[in-house]
């Protein structure tokens, strides 16, 4: 009877230590600095920070997220109002120290349009010539998908291997 209590207590302690170890690992790669971001963006970012930390770890970067209004404290009131519903995302390469930052909308109800154009070479059937055209790919992203895209673009911008 007492042995089972000891085993249960040891298992509980091991589970707590594993959770604490994982939280420390997450904090090494992503940090959301402000709890009072616009709307419920903090709660959505907090629920996905585990996946963001895994992405940041695999790419060798650190992600810091701030309220964008902090950037505008010494600026004009118009600039402060413009940044009231945005977050400032900073991505830092852990090896080179390069960093990039971007303001991202924190409105969780809005859909952000994303348009990507690319050049396409189309071979013509009847002759040996080719036609050059443009391909347009258009999507609408919700808050989290927009955040993911921006983090991915920023990571590629500071990546050590541009392959």
């Amino acid at each position: 009877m007492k042995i089972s209590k000891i085993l249960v207590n040891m298992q509980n302690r091991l589970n707590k230590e594993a959770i604490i170890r994982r939280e420390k690992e997450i904090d090494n790669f992503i940090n959301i600095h402000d709890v009072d971001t616009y709307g419920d963006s903090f709660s959505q970012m907090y629920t996905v920070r585990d996946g963001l930390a895994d992405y940041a770890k695999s790419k060798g970067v650190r992600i810091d997220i701030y309220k964008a209004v902090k950037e505008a404290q010494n600026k004009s009131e118009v600039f402060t109002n413009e940044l009231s519903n945005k977050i400032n995302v900073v991505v830092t390469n852990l090896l080179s120290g390069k960093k990039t930052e971007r303001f991202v909308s924190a409105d969780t109800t809005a859909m952000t349009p994303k348009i990507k154009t690319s050049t396409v070479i189309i071979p013509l059937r009847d002759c040996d010539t080719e036609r050059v055209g443009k391909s347009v790919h258009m999507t609408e992203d919700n808050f989290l998908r927009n955040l993911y895209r921006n983090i991915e673009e920023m990571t590629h911008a500071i990546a050590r291997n541009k392959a």
Side-chain angles (χ1 to χ4, degrees):
M1 201 59 143
K2 293 187 180 211
I3 293 176
S4 65
K5 283 184 180 181
I6 292 171
L7 290 176
V8 167
N9 286 339
M10 287 179 63
Q11 185 63 41
N12 288 340
R13 184 179 298 143
L14 289 174
N15 289 341
K16 286 178 187 176
E17 288 176 4
I19 291 170
I20 290 170
R21 218 176 12 255
R22 179 63 182 157
E23 287 294 320
K24 285 181 181 178
E25 182 181 16
I26 289 172
D27 288 340
N28 285 337
F29 294 102
I30 183 166
N31 196 354
I32 304 170
H33 294 275
D34 300 308
V35 179
D36 59 341
T37 57
Y38 182 81
D40 68 335
S41 59
F42 174 78
S43 62
Q44 289 190 21
M45 288 185 292
Y46 191 82
T47 57
V48 299
R49 71 189 183 98
D50 190 31
L52 286 173
D54 288 340
Y55 175 78
K57 182 179 180 181
S58 71
K59 298 297 182 181
V61 298
R62 176 174 171 73
I63 304 168
D64 292 299
I65 300 174
Y66 302 93
K67 234 168 82 171
V69 175
K70 285 189 174 182
E71 295 289 321
Q73 285 178 349
N74 298 329
K75 308 281 193 254
S76 68
E77 189 173 320
V78 174
F79 192 61
T80 304
N81 289 338
E82 185 178 319
L83 294 178
S84 65
N85 64 346
K86 297 193 182 330
I87 54 175
N88 185 18
V89 180
V90 179
V91 177
T92 308
N93 189 328
L94 294 174
L95 291 177
S96 67
K98 285 174 151 179
K99 70 170 49 171
T100 182
E101 60 184 280
R102 187 179 291 177
F103 292 118
V104 177
S105 174
D107 188 2
T108 57
T109 59
M111 298 298 277
T112 307
K114 213 56 153 171
I115 300 171
K116 182 180 178 183
T117 61
S118 59
T119 305
V120 179
I121 299 174
I122 303 166
L124 297 176
R125 273 188 164 176
D126 297 338
C127 53
D128 293 333
T129 60
E130 297 174 334
R131 180 175 176 253
V132 177
K134 288 215 179 252
S135 169
V136 178
H137 184 70
M138 188 169 157
T139 60
E140 285 187 347
D141 295 344
N142 62 11
F143 166 68
L144 287 177
R145 183 63 190 136
N146 186 36
L147 180 67
Y148 294 153
R149 276 190 205 269
N150 282 295
I151 289 173
E152 182 181 21
E153 289 170 5
M154 293 164 61
T155 301
H156 288 313
I158 62 169
R160 62 177 185 259
N161 295 333
K162 301 216 177 198

